[in-house]
Every structure is written in structure tokens, then in C-alpha cells.
Amino acid sequence: MEDKVVQQAVVTILNQIYEEDFRGFSYGFRPGRSQHQALDALTVALKRKRVNYVLDADIRGFFDHIDHGWMMRFLQHRVADLRILRLIQKWLKAGVMEEGQWSETEMGTPQGAVISPLLANIYLHYVFDLWVDVWRKKCAQGDVIVVRYADDNVLGFQRQAEADRFLEDFQRRLGKFGLELHPDKTRRIEFGRYAEPRRKRRGEGKHPVGIR
């Protein structure tokens, strides 16, 4: 109980810092933001922007594969207090108790811990949010929309070539941090009122395109 109280206190402090940094398209586990708002934002973006392809991207086992070294480096960008950093490092390495046996955790966030959702958001802020913001400004000529809820990402593209290029670049980006997309839960879908007629002209079915 004491540990949870301390974690909640640290979360309250860190929220004040990172809410200044987090991007507007990030909705998961943030104060005053919900999955309903994420869906509303996605609906508005799909209606207002020219989106012909939607990429639904899921990171495989994200919470279990967060690299502790990268996590601490990301935190040090904004947190200078060594006491807070030491506390977080202890929580990351607290280990897991299964059937009376304790085992050390070398990767991932503490399962069920109060601080885990915030740490996950901080990790993805650097791994995904900042990167995708730059990518769509520098690499895309057509419209690109982004909505992220925790480790689930939905992106919309005007152009197929840019959707395919992003998927390849995203896989490489995740690989640098020991992460990968889930092959069964990640797919590119042709979208819009003309999507089905276009597929029929090409003699294709309705099945979405999975990752390669």
C-alpha cells in the first residue's frame, strides 16, 4: 500500500511535467482524456482530411518489452532529480512473484503498477510520437492523420505509397528499441466511399493487407 501511495505521488509530479510535452494525438492513460475522445478525434480527422488508406498498428507485447536502459534515458531528458530516477529504476527492477518464486525483470514495466501506464506513454512519446510528427511533415506530401491510445495506433493516409513507406519505416523504428508490430493485429485498409469500387475494378476482395 505504501508503495502504491509513493507511485501515485510520483505520477502526479510527472504528469505536471509531461502533459506539457505530450502530443495532442495521444489519448491513452492521460488526465482528462478517454477512449471515447480518441474515437471522436479519429472520426473528425477521417471526415475532414483526405484519407484513402487506414493503418491499424498494434505493437506486440509492448508493456513486456520496454527496454529499461532506453526508459531511463528518456526520463533523464526531463527529470533531473536523482531520487525520482532511482525510485523509478527500483520499480522497473522490482521483479515478479509467481507461486512463491521471485524472478528478476530485465525488461517491461511492473505489471499492474500505478506508474506503468505513464511510463509506457513516456516511452512511446519518444519512440513514436515525436518521430511520427517529424515523419509526416518531412516524408509525406498527402494528408496524414494520427491517433494513439496506449500502444494502439491508427493512422490515415491520402496516398497508398506513403502508407506503405510509413509501415516499413515504422517497423525499422520499432526495431531500434527492441519492439515489433503484431503481424495479426496490424493491417492496412483501403478506406472511403470509392474503396470498394476500386477493389472490384482490380478484382480484389475485401480483406485488408497485413504487414509484410
Side-chain angles (χ1 to χ4, degrees), residues 31-57:
R33 288 180 167 236
S34 68
Q35 62 268 40
H36 300 294
Q37 290 173 316
L39 289 172
D40 289 343
L42 180 60
T43 300
V44 171
L46 289 172
K47 288 180 177 178
R48 293 184 179 178
K49 297 293 184 178
R50 293 167 293 181
V51 175
N52 296 315
Y53 299 89
V54 172
L55 176 64
D56 181 11

Side-chain angles (χ1 to χ4, degrees), residues 39-134:
L39 289 172
D40 289 343
L42 180 60
T43 300
V44 171
L46 289 172
K47 288 180 177 178
R48 293 184 179 178
K49 297 293 184 178
R50 293 167 293 181
V51 175
N52 296 315
Y53 299 89
V54 172
L55 176 64
D56 181 11
D58 180 86
I59 301 174
R60 188 206 293 262
F62 169 68
F63 287 89
D64 295 329
H65 292 91
I66 289 178
D67 183 276
H68 292 175
W70 279 114
M71 183 79 258
M72 297 309 299
R73 280 182 235 177
F74 294 151
L75 287 164
Q76 287 166 13
H77 282 297
R78 295 288 273 126
V79 180
D81 192 319
L82 295 179
R83 294 169 298 177
I84 297 294
L85 293 172
R86 281 196 294 267
L87 268 176
I88 294 173
Q89 194 159 33
K90 286 182 179 180
W91 287 325
L92 288 172
K93 296 184 179 298
V96 178
M97 185 74 73
E98 293 179 337
E99 298 180 357
Q101 297 294 320
W102 178 85
S103 59
E104 185 178 0
T105 50
E106 298 181 355
M107 297 185 72
T109 56
Q111 188 173 14
V114 174
I115 200 169
S116 288
L118 176 58
L119 293 180
N121 260 343
I122 294 171
Y123 200 84
L124 284 175
H125 173 69
Y126 289 99
V127 171
F128 177 73
D129 295 356
L130 296 180
W131 173 78
V132 75
D133 232 3
V134 172

Side-chain angles (χ1 to χ4, degrees), residues 54-62 128 151-155 157 163-164 166-172 174 179-190 207-212:
V54 172
L55 176 64
D56 181 11
D58 180 86
I59 301 174
R60 188 206 293 262
F62 169 68
F128 177 73
D151 58 327
D152 293 318
N153 308 277
V154 178
L155 299 99
F157 300 86
D164 292 341
F166 174 83
L167 183 55
E168 293 177 1
D169 291 347
F170 189 24
Q171 288 174 299
R172 282 195 293 269
L174 290 176
L179 300 170
E180 64 179 356
L181 292 174
H182 196 298
D184 298 326
K185 297 181 180 180
T186 299
R187 54 200 179 274
R188 172 176 60 72
I189 304 166
E190 196 164 0
H207 298 294
V209 177
I211 67 172
R212 294 185 291 274

